[in-house]
Amino acid sequence: MHNERERINDIDRQVADLLQVRAALAQQIGAIKADAGKPAWDPAREAEVLRQITETPGPLGRPELRRVFTEIISACRALEQPLRVAYLGPEQTFSHLAAQRKFGAHTTFLPAPSIPDIFRLVESGQADTGVVPVENSTGGVIPETLDALLDTGLKICAEAHLPVHLSLLASAPLDEIQTLYSIPPPLAQCRQWLREHLPSVEVKLVSSTGVAAQEAAADPTGAALAPEEAGIALGIPVLATNIEDLPGNRTRFFVIACAESRPTGRDKTSVVFSTAHKAGALLEAIGALSRHGLNLTLIQSRPLRGQTWQYVFFVDFEGHQEDEKAKAALAELQEHCALLKVLGSYPAEPE
Protein backbone atom coordinates (compact mmCIF):
# COMPACT_ATOMS: atom_id res chain seq x y z
CA MET A 1 0.00 0.00 0.00
CA HIS A 2 2.78 2.44 0.95
CA ASN A 3 4.68 1.87 -2.30
CA GLU A 4 1.52 2.34 -4.38
CA ARG A 5 0.76 5.63 -2.63
CA GLU A 6 4.29 6.88 -3.23
CA ARG A 7 3.96 6.01 -6.90
CA ILE A 8 0.71 7.95 -7.08
CA ASN A 9 2.38 10.93 -5.39
CA ASP A 10 5.22 10.82 -7.94
CA ILE A 11 2.75 10.59 -10.83
CA ASP A 12 0.70 13.48 -9.45
CA ARG A 13 3.82 15.67 -9.30
CA GLN A 14 4.71 14.71 -12.87
CA VAL A 15 1.18 15.46 -14.05
CA ALA A 16 1.25 18.86 -12.30
CA ASP A 17 4.63 19.70 -13.86
CA LEU A 18 3.40 18.74 -17.32
CA LEU A 19 0.23 20.77 -16.86
CA GLN A 20 2.34 23.84 -16.08
CA VAL A 21 4.38 23.23 -19.23
CA ARG A 22 1.15 22.88 -21.23
CA ALA A 23 -0.21 26.09 -19.73
CA ALA A 24 2.95 28.00 -20.63
CA LEU A 25 2.74 26.75 -24.22
CA ALA A 26 -0.93 27.74 -24.35
CA GLN A 27 0.01 31.27 -23.28
CA GLN A 28 2.57 31.46 -26.10
CA ILE A 29 0.04 30.22 -28.63
CA GLY A 30 -2.50 32.70 -27.27
CA ALA A 31 -0.10 35.57 -27.86
CA ILE A 32 0.49 34.43 -31.44
CA LYS A 33 -3.26 34.15 -32.04
CA ALA A 34 -3.86 37.60 -30.58
CA ASP A 35 -1.20 39.15 -32.83
CA ALA A 36 -2.78 37.46 -35.85
CA GLY A 37 -6.30 38.49 -34.82
CA LYS A 38 -7.43 34.87 -34.49
CA PRO A 39 -10.01 33.69 -31.92
CA ALA A 40 -8.80 31.85 -28.83
CA TRP A 41 -11.18 28.94 -29.41
CA ASP A 42 -10.49 26.60 -32.33
CA PRO A 43 -13.30 23.99 -32.43
CA ALA A 44 -11.50 21.73 -34.91
CA ARG A 45 -8.27 21.70 -32.89
CA GLU A 46 -10.14 21.05 -29.63
CA ALA A 47 -12.10 18.20 -31.20
CA GLU A 48 -8.89 16.61 -32.49
CA VAL A 49 -7.22 16.85 -29.06
CA LEU A 50 -10.18 15.32 -27.24
CA ARG A 51 -10.54 12.59 -29.86
CA GLN A 52 -6.90 11.54 -29.47
CA ILE A 53 -7.02 11.67 -25.67
CA THR A 54 -10.22 9.66 -25.33
CA GLU A 55 -8.79 6.86 -27.46
CA THR A 56 -6.16 6.19 -24.77
CA PRO A 57 -6.79 2.67 -23.35
CA GLY A 58 -7.18 2.12 -19.59
CA PRO A 59 -9.70 1.91 -16.75
CA LEU A 60 -10.96 5.48 -17.26
CA GLY A 61 -13.73 5.58 -19.86
CA ARG A 62 -14.03 8.08 -22.69
CA PRO A 63 -16.63 10.28 -20.94
CA GLU A 64 -14.41 10.59 -17.84
CA LEU A 65 -11.31 11.40 -19.87
CA ARG A 66 -13.29 13.90 -21.90
CA ARG A 67 -14.53 15.73 -18.79
CA VAL A 68 -11.05 15.89 -17.25
CA PHE A 69 -9.38 17.21 -20.38
CA THR A 70 -12.20 19.63 -21.15
CA GLU A 71 -11.40 21.33 -17.85
CA ILE A 72 -7.66 21.27 -18.56
CA ILE A 73 -8.24 22.84 -21.97
CA SER A 74 -10.64 25.35 -20.42
CA ALA A 75 -8.10 26.46 -17.81
CA CYS A 76 -5.33 26.79 -20.40
CA ARG A 77 -7.60 28.65 -22.84
CA ALA A 78 -8.47 31.14 -20.10
CA LEU A 79 -4.76 32.02 -19.89
CA GLU A 80 -4.89 32.97 -23.58
CA GLN A 81 -8.15 34.91 -23.59
CA PRO A 82 -11.35 34.44 -21.55
CA LEU A 83 -14.06 32.95 -23.75
CA ARG A 84 -17.54 34.51 -23.56
CA VAL A 85 -20.33 32.02 -24.20
CA ALA A 86 -24.01 33.00 -24.43
CA TYR A 87 -26.70 30.49 -23.44
CA LEU A 88 -30.42 30.36 -22.74
CA GLY A 89 -30.63 31.54 -19.14
CA PRO A 90 -30.88 31.89 -16.29
CA GLU A 91 -28.33 29.59 -14.64
CA GLN A 92 -28.95 25.84 -14.33
CA THR A 93 -30.97 25.51 -17.52
CA PHE A 94 -30.06 22.58 -19.74
CA SER A 95 -28.43 25.08 -22.09
CA HIS A 96 -26.26 26.30 -19.22
CA LEU A 97 -25.32 22.73 -18.30
CA ALA A 98 -24.48 21.97 -21.94
CA ALA A 99 -22.32 25.10 -22.21
CA GLN A 100 -20.45 24.19 -19.03
CA ARG A 101 -19.91 20.65 -20.26
CA LYS A 102 -18.69 21.87 -23.66
CA PHE A 103 -16.39 24.69 -22.57
CA GLY A 104 -15.45 23.92 -18.96
CA ALA A 105 -15.60 26.04 -15.84
CA HIS A 106 -12.96 28.60 -16.85
CA THR A 107 -15.35 30.40 -19.17
CA THR A 108 -17.46 33.54 -18.93
CA PHE A 109 -21.08 32.41 -19.34
CA LEU A 110 -23.61 35.03 -20.44
CA PRO A 111 -27.31 34.23 -19.86
CA ALA A 112 -29.76 35.36 -22.53
CA PRO A 113 -33.55 35.57 -22.09
CA SER A 114 -34.38 33.87 -25.41
CA ILE A 115 -32.83 31.93 -28.27
CA PRO A 116 -32.93 34.95 -30.66
CA ASP A 117 -31.12 36.96 -27.96
CA ILE A 118 -28.28 34.41 -27.98
CA PHE A 119 -27.81 35.07 -31.69
CA ARG A 120 -27.91 38.82 -31.11
CA LEU A 121 -25.21 38.65 -28.40
CA VAL A 122 -22.86 36.81 -30.74
CA GLU A 123 -23.70 38.95 -33.78
CA SER A 124 -22.99 42.13 -31.80
CA GLY A 125 -19.66 40.83 -30.49
CA GLN A 126 -20.79 40.81 -26.86
CA ALA A 127 -20.25 37.01 -26.85
CA ASP A 128 -17.66 34.97 -28.72
CA THR A 129 -19.96 31.99 -29.17
CA GLY A 130 -23.48 30.91 -28.32
CA VAL A 131 -24.97 27.55 -27.35
CA VAL A 132 -28.49 26.91 -28.69
CA PRO A 133 -30.66 23.77 -28.43
CA VAL A 134 -31.55 22.31 -31.82
CA GLU A 135 -33.28 18.96 -31.23
CA ASN A 136 -34.33 16.55 -28.52
CA SER A 137 -34.44 12.79 -28.98
CA THR A 138 -38.01 12.68 -27.60
CA GLY A 139 -39.56 16.06 -28.39
CA GLY A 140 -37.98 16.73 -31.80
CA VAL A 141 -36.50 19.95 -33.18
CA ILE A 142 -36.54 23.39 -31.57
CA PRO A 143 -38.34 25.69 -34.07
CA GLU A 144 -36.91 28.94 -32.65
CA THR A 145 -33.35 27.76 -33.34
CA LEU A 146 -34.09 26.67 -36.91
CA ASP A 147 -35.82 29.99 -37.66
CA ALA A 148 -32.90 31.98 -36.23
CA LEU A 149 -30.37 29.96 -38.25
CA LEU A 150 -32.21 30.85 -41.43
CA ASP A 151 -31.89 34.58 -40.74
CA THR A 152 -28.41 34.86 -39.23
CA GLY A 153 -24.99 35.32 -40.79
CA LEU A 154 -23.43 33.28 -38.00
CA LYS A 155 -22.12 29.78 -38.62
CA ILE A 156 -22.55 26.50 -36.78
CA CYS A 157 -19.01 25.62 -35.72
CA ALA A 158 -19.58 22.80 -33.19
CA GLU A 159 -22.23 20.59 -31.66
CA ALA A 160 -22.80 19.18 -28.17
CA HIS A 161 -24.96 16.39 -26.78
CA LEU A 162 -26.40 16.43 -23.27
CA PRO A 163 -28.29 13.65 -21.48
CA VAL A 164 -31.53 15.24 -20.27
CA HIS A 165 -33.04 14.09 -16.97
CA LEU A 166 -36.05 16.08 -15.84
CA SER A 167 -37.18 16.65 -12.27
CA LEU A 168 -40.32 18.03 -10.66
CA LEU A 169 -39.42 20.92 -8.36
CA ALA A 170 -42.00 22.24 -5.89
CA SER A 171 -42.36 23.48 -2.33
CA ALA A 172 -45.87 22.05 -2.07
CA PRO A 173 -46.76 18.35 -1.83
CA LEU A 174 -47.71 16.69 -5.10
CA ASP A 175 -51.46 16.75 -4.35
CA GLU A 176 -51.41 20.51 -3.60
CA ILE A 177 -49.70 21.64 -6.80
CA GLN A 178 -51.97 23.95 -8.82
CA THR A 179 -49.63 25.40 -11.47
CA LEU A 180 -46.85 23.82 -13.51
CA TYR A 181 -44.22 26.10 -15.08
CA SER A 182 -42.34 24.77 -18.08
CA ILE A 183 -41.26 25.22 -21.67
CA PRO A 184 -42.80 23.02 -24.39
CA PRO A 185 -40.01 20.43 -24.83
CA PRO A 186 -40.05 19.11 -21.21
CA LEU A 187 -43.85 18.90 -21.38
CA ALA A 188 -43.52 16.67 -24.44
CA GLN A 189 -40.78 14.62 -22.82
CA CYS A 190 -42.80 13.99 -19.61
CA ARG A 191 -46.25 13.61 -21.12
CA GLN A 192 -46.99 10.17 -19.67
CA TRP A 193 -45.69 11.00 -16.17
CA LEU A 194 -47.73 14.20 -16.04
CA ARG A 195 -50.86 12.39 -17.21
CA GLU A 196 -50.50 9.94 -14.32
CA HIS A 197 -49.45 12.33 -11.53
CA LEU A 198 -50.65 15.85 -12.46
CA PRO A 199 -53.54 15.31 -14.89
CA SER A 200 -55.48 18.52 -14.15
CA VAL A 201 -52.72 20.97 -13.26
CA GLU A 202 -52.68 24.39 -14.97
CA VAL A 203 -49.66 24.76 -17.26
CA LYS A 204 -47.96 28.12 -17.68
CA LEU A 205 -45.32 28.41 -20.40
CA VAL A 206 -42.14 30.36 -19.68
CA SER A 207 -38.95 31.08 -21.64
CA SER A 208 -36.59 28.47 -20.11
CA THR A 209 -36.34 25.71 -17.51
CA GLY A 210 -34.35 28.11 -15.33
CA VAL A 211 -37.19 30.64 -15.37
CA ALA A 212 -39.62 27.79 -14.63
CA ALA A 213 -37.62 26.96 -11.51
CA GLN A 214 -37.61 30.61 -10.42
CA GLU A 215 -41.38 30.84 -10.87
CA ALA A 216 -41.90 27.66 -8.85
CA ALA A 217 -39.67 29.02 -6.09
CA ALA A 218 -41.89 32.13 -5.83
CA ASP A 219 -45.22 30.24 -6.03
CA PRO A 220 -46.24 28.25 -2.90
CA THR A 221 -48.47 25.96 -4.99
CA GLY A 222 -46.33 26.02 -8.13
CA ALA A 223 -44.02 23.40 -9.62
CA ALA A 224 -41.46 23.31 -12.41
CA LEU A 225 -40.08 20.82 -14.89
CA ALA A 226 -36.37 21.54 -14.74
CA PRO A 227 -32.92 20.05 -14.07
CA GLU A 228 -32.35 18.79 -10.54
CA GLU A 229 -29.41 21.23 -10.38
CA ALA A 230 -31.87 24.16 -10.61
CA GLY A 231 -33.74 22.91 -7.56
CA ILE A 232 -30.52 22.52 -5.59
CA ALA A 233 -29.30 25.99 -6.58
CA LEU A 234 -32.60 27.68 -5.65
CA GLY A 235 -33.34 25.57 -2.59
CA ILE A 236 -36.55 24.08 -4.04
CA PRO A 237 -37.44 20.54 -2.93
CA VAL A 238 -37.02 17.94 -5.68
CA LEU A 239 -40.22 15.86 -5.53
CA ALA A 240 -39.36 13.45 -8.35
CA THR A 241 -36.36 12.82 -10.59
CA ASN A 242 -35.85 11.22 -14.00
CA ILE A 243 -39.52 11.66 -14.89
CA GLU A 244 -38.92 11.79 -18.65
CA ASP A 245 -40.98 9.13 -20.44
CA LEU A 246 -38.14 7.55 -22.43
CA PRO A 247 -34.70 6.48 -21.22
CA GLY A 248 -31.77 7.85 -23.15
CA ASN A 249 -33.43 11.26 -23.50
CA ARG A 250 -30.85 13.63 -25.02
CA THR A 251 -30.72 17.15 -26.40
CA ARG A 252 -28.40 18.24 -29.17
CA PHE A 253 -27.01 21.77 -29.15
CA PHE A 254 -25.30 23.87 -31.80
CA VAL A 255 -22.43 26.21 -31.03
CA ILE A 256 -22.69 29.33 -33.19
CA ALA A 257 -19.93 31.82 -33.96
CA CYS A 258 -18.71 34.16 -36.68
CA ALA A 259 -15.90 31.89 -37.86
CA GLU A 260 -16.06 28.65 -39.82
CA SER A 261 -14.57 25.39 -38.51
CA ARG A 262 -11.95 23.68 -40.66
CA PRO A 263 -12.21 19.98 -41.60
CA THR A 264 -11.18 17.33 -39.06
CA GLY A 265 -12.02 14.17 -41.00
CA ARG A 266 -15.06 13.46 -38.81
CA ASP A 267 -17.46 16.28 -39.52
CA LYS A 268 -21.07 17.16 -40.19
CA THR A 269 -22.56 19.87 -42.37
CA SER A 270 -25.92 21.60 -41.90
CA VAL A 271 -27.76 23.25 -44.78
CA VAL A 272 -31.18 24.79 -45.37
CA PHE A 273 -32.87 24.92 -48.76
CA SER A 274 -36.19 25.46 -50.49
CA THR A 275 -37.29 23.85 -53.73
CA ALA A 276 -39.55 24.85 -56.57
CA HIS A 277 -43.24 24.28 -55.81
CA LYS A 278 -43.68 21.31 -58.16
CA ALA A 279 -44.09 17.55 -57.98
CA GLY A 280 -40.88 15.65 -57.27
CA ALA A 281 -38.80 18.74 -56.43
CA LEU A 282 -37.83 17.54 -52.95
CA LEU A 283 -36.97 14.07 -54.27
CA GLU A 284 -34.66 15.62 -56.86
CA ALA A 285 -32.97 17.75 -54.21
CA ILE A 286 -32.40 14.87 -51.78
CA GLY A 287 -31.27 12.72 -54.70
CA ALA A 288 -28.47 15.20 -55.37
CA LEU A 289 -27.07 14.44 -51.92
CA SER A 290 -27.56 10.68 -52.04
CA ARG A 291 -26.00 10.34 -55.49
CA HIS A 292 -22.73 11.64 -54.07
CA GLY A 293 -22.78 9.20 -51.15
CA LEU A 294 -23.63 11.66 -48.38
CA ASN A 295 -25.27 10.13 -45.32
CA LEU A 296 -28.15 12.30 -44.04
CA THR A 297 -28.54 12.48 -40.26
CA LEU A 298 -31.41 14.99 -40.05
CA ILE A 299 -34.12 16.33 -42.34
CA GLN A 300 -36.76 18.71 -41.03
CA SER A 301 -39.23 21.00 -42.78
CA ARG A 302 -40.31 24.44 -41.57
CA PRO A 303 -42.90 26.83 -43.04
CA LEU A 304 -41.34 29.62 -45.09
CA ARG A 305 -42.46 32.77 -43.35
CA GLY A 306 -44.52 35.11 -45.50
CA GLN A 307 -45.34 32.48 -48.12
CA THR A 308 -48.39 30.28 -47.55
CA TRP A 309 -47.78 26.51 -47.95
CA GLN A 310 -44.15 27.03 -48.87
CA TYR A 311 -41.44 25.25 -46.87
CA VAL A 312 -37.72 25.23 -46.23
CA PHE A 313 -35.84 22.03 -45.41
CA PHE A 314 -33.07 21.71 -42.85
CA VAL A 315 -30.66 18.86 -43.57
CA ASP A 316 -27.58 17.55 -41.79
CA PHE A 317 -25.16 15.20 -43.52
CA GLU A 318 -21.87 13.56 -42.62
CA GLY A 319 -18.82 15.29 -44.07
CA HIS A 320 -17.39 18.79 -44.42
CA GLN A 321 -18.47 21.28 -47.07
CA GLU A 322 -14.84 21.42 -48.26
CA ASP A 323 -14.78 17.67 -48.98
CA GLU A 324 -14.81 16.98 -52.72
CA LYS A 325 -17.97 14.87 -52.72
CA ALA A 326 -19.76 17.45 -50.54
CA LYS A 327 -18.75 20.22 -52.96
CA ALA A 328 -20.11 18.23 -55.88
CA ALA A 329 -23.33 17.39 -54.03
CA LEU A 330 -23.94 21.00 -53.00
CA ALA A 331 -23.32 22.20 -56.55
CA GLU A 332 -25.90 19.75 -57.88
CA LEU A 333 -28.30 20.59 -55.06
CA GLN A 334 -28.12 24.27 -56.00
CA GLU A 335 -29.58 23.42 -59.42
CA HIS A 336 -32.80 22.17 -57.77
CA CYS A 337 -33.19 24.93 -55.16
CA ALA A 338 -34.69 28.37 -55.06
CA LEU A 339 -32.70 28.90 -51.84
CA LEU A 340 -29.61 27.11 -50.55
CA LYS A 341 -27.67 28.20 -47.48
CA VAL A 342 -24.82 26.31 -45.83
CA LEU A 343 -25.27 26.86 -42.10
CA GLY A 344 -21.88 25.46 -41.20
CA SER A 345 -19.56 22.46 -41.10
CA TYR A 346 -18.32 21.30 -37.70
CA PRO A 347 -16.66 18.39 -35.86
CA ALA A 348 -19.07 15.54 -35.15
CA GLU A 349 -19.53 15.13 -31.41
CA PRO A 350 -19.15 11.54 -30.15
CA GLU A 351 -22.40 10.13 -28.75
Side-chain angles (χ1 to χ4, degrees), residues 275-328:
T275 63
H277 191 50
K278 65 178 184 178
L282 178 59
L283 181 61
E284 291 176 353
I286 297 300
L289 300 175
S290 65
R291 279 190 290 275
H292 292 275
L294 298 180
N295 182 36
L296 274 59
T297 58
L298 172 73
I299 179 166
Q300 179 70 37
S301 65
R302 287 285 297 151
L304 185 58
R305 284 169 292 176
Q307 298 189 38
T308 305
W309 309 126
Q310 295 290 312
Y311 295 86
V312 291
F313 300 91
F314 290 83
V315 170
D316 292 353
F317 61 80
E318 293 178 348
H320 196 283
Q321 60 183 308
E322 294 183 11
D323 298 342
E324 288 305 317
K325 66 178 182 180
K327 285 182 180 179

Side-chain angles (χ1 to χ4, degrees), residues 221-254:
T221 61
L225 292 177
E228 183 177 6
E229 291 86 346
I232 295 171
L234 293 171
I236 313 171
V238 180
L239 299 191
T241 59
N242 297 345
I243 63 174
E244 60 277 3
D245 295 336
L246 297 176
N249 189 33
R250 300 170 69 83
T251 295
R252 178 181 177 221
F253 295 82
F254 281 152

Side-chain angles (χ1 to χ4, degrees), residues 33 39-51 66 73 77 83 102-103 129 155-159 255-257 259-264 266-267 345-349:
K33 286 181 179 178
W41 181 57
D42 182 344
R45 169 62 181 163
E46 187 168 305
E48 290 165 344
V49 170
L50 291 173
R51 194 172 290 148
R66 189 176 183 86
I73 293 169
R77 186 173 56 235
L83 191 66
K102 181 69 176 177
F103 292 101
T129 66
K155 295 295 184 180
I156 303 166
C157 58
E159 65 174 355
V255 180
I256 52 171
E260 300 268 11
S261 178
R262 60 179 174 79
T264 68
R266 300 182 192 176
D267 303 290
S345 294
Y346 45 92
E349 183 90 352

Side-chain angles (χ1 to χ4, degrees), residues 163-204:
V164 172
H165 300 294
L166 286 153
S167 296
L168 185 76
L169 315 179
S171 299
L174 193 64
D175 59 358
E176 295 181 12
I177 293 173
Q178 298 179 15
T179 306
L180 178 65
Y181 299 94
S182 182
I183 57 176
L187 292 171
Q189 295 159 35
C190 301
R191 188 177 290 114
Q192 181 177 336
W193 191 94
L194 294 173
R195 189 183 301 119
E196 293 176 2
H197 297 89
L198 293 171
S200 58
V201 70
E202 179 189 7
V203 174
K204 288 189 177 181

